[in-house]
């Protein structure tokens, strides 16, 4: 039999391509396979706590959840500010509860937790969104260590502090936290 080296190497490459193509088609089939479980969640009686509702994503998410029918605990650094007031004016009475919360303060976190416990709807706290955050821009040597510590305290420790306070309430209702 005649041996042609380039022909056998082409055969192996073709074989690998076929395997990759079959794997890709199988992945597409699995990901697009119709699922029998269609979960519909009734938001009535369920609450979500969102930190950083003064502006941006937190404020927009609070508006969206209010439109869906959730009770929203909107944690704001400035509860008298424009973002918090827009939530109050848009929501049905009692649907939104604006809370003053500095996520770097253990005392305010405890007060917020007590307020949430005292005002929970029937089905409890279903969700927690850790959205509060700050950013600092500039060359590394332009910023002081205090500024870096503030960013860590808000963005990292604030999320941890909030999760430690509210995750047990969310877990109790089999909800979600981010």
């Amino acid at each position: 039999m005649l041996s042609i080296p380039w022909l056998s190497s082409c055969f192996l490459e073709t074989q690998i391509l076929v395997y990759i193509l079959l794997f890709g088609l199988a992945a597409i089939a699995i990901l697009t396979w119709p699922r029998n479980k269609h979960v519909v969640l009734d938001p009535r009686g369920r609450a979500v706590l969102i930190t950083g509702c003064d502006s941006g994503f937190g404020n927009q998410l609070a508006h969206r959840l209010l439109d869906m029918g959730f009770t929203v605990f909107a944690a704001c650094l400035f509860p008298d500010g424009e973002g918090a007031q827009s939530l109050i004016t848009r929501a049905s009475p009692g649907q939104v509860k604006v809370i003053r919360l500095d996520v770097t303060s253990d005392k305010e976190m405890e007060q917020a937790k007590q307020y949430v416990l005292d005002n929970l709807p029937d089905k409890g706290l279903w969700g927690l969104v850790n959205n509060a955050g700050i950013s600092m821009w500039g060359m590394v040597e332009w910023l002081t260590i205090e500024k870096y510590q503030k960013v860590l305290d808000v963005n990292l420790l604030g999320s941890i502090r909030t999760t430690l306070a509210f995750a047990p309430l969310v877990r109790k209702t089999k909800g979600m936290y981010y």
Side-chain angles (χ1 to χ4, degrees):
M1 178 161 194
L2 185 61
S3 174
I4 306 170
W6 64 268
L7 184 59
S8 62
S9 68
C10 288
F11 178 72
L12 289 175
E13 289 174 8
T14 305
Q15 212 173 13
I16 292 170
L17 282 174
V18 168
Y19 285 128
I20 291 172
L21 185 63
L22 288 175
F23 178 75
L25 289 173
I28 290 170
I30 290 169
L31 292 174
T32 59
W33 194 265
R35 290 166 175 76
N36 293 335
K37 295 181 181 180
H38 182 70
V39 178
V40 177
L41 177 72
D42 182 11
R44 290 176 299 198
R46 296 181 197 273
V48 176
L49 173 78
I50 307 169
T51 63
C53 283
D54 293 288
S55 63
F57 177 77
N59 189 274
Q60 291 175 6
L61 178 61
H63 279 288
R64 178 69 179 116
L65 292 176
L66 289 169
D67 290 344
M68 291 172 69
F70 283 95
T71 298
V72 174
F73 290 98
C76 297
L77 191 56
F78 304 106
D80 296 327
E82 187 179 321
Q85 293 307 308
S86 74
L87 290 170
I88 292 170
T89 57
R90 183 171 180 179
S92 303
Q95 190 184 10
V96 66
K97 295 164 183 7
V98 175
I99 307 170
R100 157 97 174 115
L101 180 59
D102 176 357
V103 296
T104 66
S105 168
D106 290 327
K107 181 181 176 190
E108 285 191 27
M109 188 64 66
E110 191 55 42
Q111 290 171 344
K113 182 178 179 182
Q114 190 58 51
Y115 180 82
V116 169
L117 284 169
D118 294 342
N119 293 283
L120 277 175
D122 301 343
K123 296 179 183 173
L125 186 65
W126 185 78
L128 168 63
V129 180
N130 282 305
N131 176 66
I134 60 172
S135 63
M136 303 278 173
W137 298 95
M139 301 276 292
V140 172
E141 60 268 12
W142 292 353
L143 301 175
T144 64
I145 195 68
E146 290 79 18
K147 291 197 186 252
Y148 286 110
Q149 287 172 333
K150 181 69 174 173
V151 169
L152 283 172
D153 199 20
V154 172
N155 297 354
L156 176 64
L157 298 177
S159 292
I160 293 170
R161 194 176 282 112
T162 307
T163 302
L164 289 174
F166 292 101
L169 299 175
V170 176
R171 193 174 302 110
K172 188 175 176 181
T173 63
K174 296 185 171 107
M176 324 187 298
Y177 48 93
Y178 296 100

